[in-house]
mmCIF file of all heavy atoms in Angstrom:
data_model
loop_
_atom_site.group_PDB
_atom_site.id
_atom_site.type_symbol
_atom_site.label_atom_id
_atom_site.label_comp_id
_atom_site.label_asym_id
_atom_site.label_seq_id
_atom_site.Cartn_x
_atom_site.Cartn_y
_atom_site.Cartn_z
ATOM 1 N N GLU A 182 12.124 15.811 -9.984
ATOM 2 C CA GLU A 182 11.511 17.109 -9.699
ATOM 3 C C GLU A 182 10.911 17.700 -10.968
ATOM 4 O O GLU A 182 11.622 17.947 -11.937
ATOM 5 C CB GLU A 182 12.547 18.051 -9.077
ATOM 6 C CG GLU A 182 11.894 19.149 -8.239
ATOM 7 C CD GLU A 182 12.888 19.870 -7.338
ATOM 8 O OE1 GLU A 182 13.918 19.250 -6.962
ATOM 9 O OE2 GLU A 182 12.637 21.054 -7.026
ATOM 10 N N ASN A 183 9.607 17.867 -10.965
ATOM 11 C CA ASN A 183 8.853 18.575 -12.015
ATOM 12 C C ASN A 183 8.745 17.861 -13.365
ATOM 13 O O ASN A 183 7.833 18.137 -14.126
ATOM 14 C CB ASN A 183 9.420 19.981 -12.239
ATOM 15 C CG ASN A 183 9.243 20.841 -10.993
ATOM 16 O OD1 ASN A 183 8.153 20.876 -10.416
ATOM 17 N ND2 ASN A 183 10.290 21.509 -10.563
ATOM 18 N N ARG B 50 7.985 14.857 -8.039
ATOM 19 C CA ARG B 50 7.734 15.878 -7.021
ATOM 20 C C ARG B 50 7.593 17.220 -7.737
ATOM 21 O O ARG B 50 8.542 17.690 -8.380
ATOM 22 C CB ARG B 50 8.919 15.922 -6.058
ATOM 23 C CG ARG B 50 8.746 16.943 -4.948
ATOM 24 C CD ARG B 50 10.034 17.085 -4.144
ATOM 25 N NE ARG B 50 9.789 17.859 -2.948
ATOM 26 C CZ ARG B 50 10.739 18.241 -2.094
ATOM 27 N NH1 ARG B 50 11.999 17.910 -2.324
ATOM 28 N NH2 ARG B 50 10.438 18.949 -1.023
ATOM 29 N N VAL B 51 6.426 17.805 -7.624
ATOM 30 C CA VAL B 51 6.164 19.049 -8.359
ATOM 31 C C VAL B 51 6.429 20.244 -7.451
ATOM 32 O O VAL B 51 5.727 20.451 -6.453
ATOM 33 C CB VAL B 51 4.718 19.089 -8.888
ATOM 34 C CG1 VAL B 51 4.477 20.362 -9.688
ATOM 35 C CG2 VAL B 51 4.430 17.847 -9.741
ATOM 36 N N THR B 52 7.466 20.988 -7.776
ATOM 37 C CA THR B 52 7.829 22.162 -6.966
ATOM 38 C C THR B 52 7.642 23.464 -7.747
ATOM 39 O O THR B 52 7.573 24.533 -7.158
ATOM 40 C CB THR B 52 9.311 22.071 -6.521
ATOM 41 O OG1 THR B 52 10.121 21.957 -7.701
ATOM 42 C CG2 THR B 52 9.549 20.862 -5.623
ATOM 43 N N ASP B 53 7.589 23.365 -9.054
ATOM 44 C CA ASP B 53 7.446 24.540 -9.917
ATOM 45 C C ASP B 53 5.986 25.024 -9.883
ATOM 46 O O ASP B 53 5.077 24.260 -10.223
ATOM 47 C CB ASP B 53 7.863 24.129 -11.333
ATOM 48 C CG ASP B 53 7.830 25.302 -12.311
ATOM 49 O OD1 ASP B 53 6.749 25.928 -12.449
ATOM 50 O OD2 ASP B 53 8.858 25.557 -12.946
ATOM 51 N N GLN B 54 5.794 26.287 -9.472
ATOM 52 C CA GLN B 54 4.422 26.782 -9.297
ATOM 53 C C GLN B 54 3.620 26.750 -10.609
ATOM 54 O O GLN B 54 2.424 26.460 -10.593
ATOM 55 C CB GLN B 54 4.424 28.201 -8.709
ATOM 56 C CG GLN B 54 3.041 28.702 -8.307
ATOM 57 C CD GLN B 54 2.352 27.785 -7.283
ATOM 58 O OE1 GLN B 54 2.944 27.428 -6.268
ATOM 59 N NE2 GLN B 54 1.115 27.362 -7.562
ATOM 60 N N GLU B 55 4.286 27.009 -11.696
ATOM 61 C CA GLU B 55 3.581 27.009 -12.988
ATOM 62 C C GLU B 55 3.068 25.597 -13.317
ATOM 63 O O GLU B 55 1.954 25.423 -13.813
ATOM 64 C CB GLU B 55 4.514 27.534 -14.090
ATOM 65 C CG GLU B 55 3.917 27.542 -15.480
ATOM 66 C CD GLU B 55 2.491 28.117 -15.550
ATOM 67 O OE1 GLU B 55 2.163 29.082 -14.803
ATOM 68 O OE2 GLU B 55 1.675 27.581 -16.312
ATOM 69 N N ILE B 56 3.879 24.599 -13.007
ATOM 70 C CA ILE B 56 3.461 23.208 -13.259
ATOM 71 C C ILE B 56 2.339 22.811 -12.298
ATOM 72 O O ILE B 56 1.374 22.146 -12.685
ATOM 73 C CB ILE B 56 4.676 22.248 -13.159
ATOM 74 C CG1 ILE B 56 5.687 22.611 -14.269
ATOM 75 C CG2 ILE B 56 4.238 20.793 -13.308
ATOM 76 C CD1 ILE B 56 6.933 21.754 -14.272
ATOM 77 N N LYS B 57 2.461 23.255 -11.042
ATOM 78 C CA LYS B 57 1.363 23.023 -10.090
ATOM 79 C C LYS B 57 0.053 23.615 -10.630
ATOM 80 O O LYS B 57 -1.001 22.988 -10.549
ATOM 81 C CB LYS B 57 1.668 23.681 -8.730
ATOM 82 C CG LYS B 57 2.553 22.867 -7.824
ATOM 83 C CD LYS B 57 2.564 23.484 -6.414
ATOM 84 C CE LYS B 57 3.600 22.789 -5.540
ATOM 85 N NZ LYS B 57 3.707 23.368 -4.182
ATOM 86 N N ASN B 58 0.150 24.818 -11.156
ATOM 87 C CA ASN B 58 -1.048 25.468 -11.698
ATOM 88 C C ASN B 58 -1.645 24.644 -12.843
ATOM 89 O O ASN B 58 -2.868 24.492 -12.944
ATOM 90 C CB ASN B 58 -0.722 26.878 -12.221
ATOM 91 C CG ASN B 58 -0.285 27.816 -11.106
ATOM 92 O OD1 ASN B 58 -0.483 27.515 -9.923
ATOM 93 N ND2 ASN B 58 0.320 28.937 -11.472
ATOM 94 N N GLN B 59 -0.784 24.137 -13.702
ATOM 95 C CA GLN B 59 -1.267 23.335 -14.836
ATOM 96 C C GLN B 59 -1.969 22.069 -14.348
ATOM 97 O O GLN B 59 -3.009 21.675 -14.873
ATOM 98 C CB GLN B 59 -0.101 22.947 -15.749
ATOM 99 C CG GLN B 59 0.450 24.107 -16.576
ATOM 100 C CD GLN B 59 1.628 23.655 -17.440
ATOM 101 O OE1 GLN B 59 1.543 22.651 -18.152
ATOM 102 N NE2 GLN B 59 2.723 24.385 -17.378
ATOM 103 N N ILE B 60 -1.374 21.442 -13.334
ATOM 104 C CA ILE B 60 -1.984 20.217 -12.800
ATOM 105 C C ILE B 60 -3.307 20.549 -12.111
ATOM 106 O O ILE B 60 -4.303 19.826 -12.276
ATOM 107 C CB ILE B 60 -1.005 19.482 -11.850
ATOM 108 C CG1 ILE B 60 0.172 18.936 -12.684
ATOM 109 C CG2 ILE B 60 -1.701 18.354 -11.092
ATOM 110 C CD1 ILE B 60 1.304 18.368 -11.881
ATOM 111 N N ALA B 70 -3.149 23.768 -6.546
ATOM 112 C CA ALA B 70 -2.029 24.678 -6.821
ATOM 113 C C ALA B 70 -1.408 25.216 -5.531
ATOM 114 O O ALA B 70 -0.281 25.708 -5.537
ATOM 115 C CB ALA B 70 -2.509 25.840 -7.692
ATOM 116 N N LEU B 75 3.384 18.476 -3.670
ATOM 117 C CA LEU B 75 2.516 17.820 -4.645
ATOM 118 C C LEU B 75 3.314 16.691 -5.304
ATOM 119 O O LEU B 75 4.328 16.944 -5.965
ATOM 120 C CB LEU B 75 2.038 18.835 -5.698
ATOM 121 C CG LEU B 75 1.145 18.293 -6.802
ATOM 122 C CD1 LEU B 75 -0.117 17.630 -6.258
ATOM 123 C CD2 LEU B 75 0.770 19.405 -7.783
#
Side-chain angles (χ1 to χ4, degrees):
Chain A
E182 204 165 333
N183 296 313
Chain B
R50 181 188 191 185
V51 182
T52 57
D53 183 303
Q54 189 58 50
E55 178 46 36
I56 297 179
K57 278 191 188 178
N58 295 345
Q59 287 179 50
I60 292 172
L75 179 58

